[in-house]
Amino acid sequence: SSEMEKADDIIDYKAVGKRIKTVRRNKGLSQKALATVMDISATNLSHIERGATKASLPTLVKSQIHSECLWMS
């Protein structure tokens, strides 16, 4: 749909993934630990961090809640 295309133009999923990875590492969290609290697999988190998978809004919210401002700043 055209709305999804617009969202894809606005959201830089690679940048979001890079931010998640950087802050996760700075907080000393493993992919497995963060993925567990986000209720996703470590493989899925790896894909999100590389920008290979588009994170859903609920997944991004969980990353935010469980890692104290992980990607928003």
Side-chain angles (χ1 to χ4, degrees):
S1 81
S2 63
E3 287 183 26
M4 283 302 293
E5 290 170 8
K6 289 178 186 174
D8 287 348
D9 289 341
I10 294 170
I11 299 170
D12 183 344
Y13 289 98
K14 287 189 178 195
V16 170
K18 185 176 180 181
R19 176 75 179 148
I20 290 171
K21 182 177 183 176
T22 298
V23 178
R24 174 184 61 75
R25 284 182 167 178
N26 289 343
K27 291 181 175 282
L29 295 171
S30 67
Q31 283 183 331
K32 184 175 182 178
L34 182 57
T36 297
V37 297
M38 291 172 62
D39 198 29
I40 62 173
S41 71
T43 300
N44 192 14
L45 179 57
S46 173
H47 292 173
I48 290 168
E49 288 183 348
R50 289 184 286 122
T53 296
K54 296 175 184 175
S56 68
L57 181 58
T59 298
L60 293 175
V61 169
K62 287 178 186 178
S63 75
Q64 179 69 11
I65 291 169
H66 292 292
S67 54
E68 302 172 26
C69 298
L70 179 68
W71 59 275
M72 290 180 145
S73 59

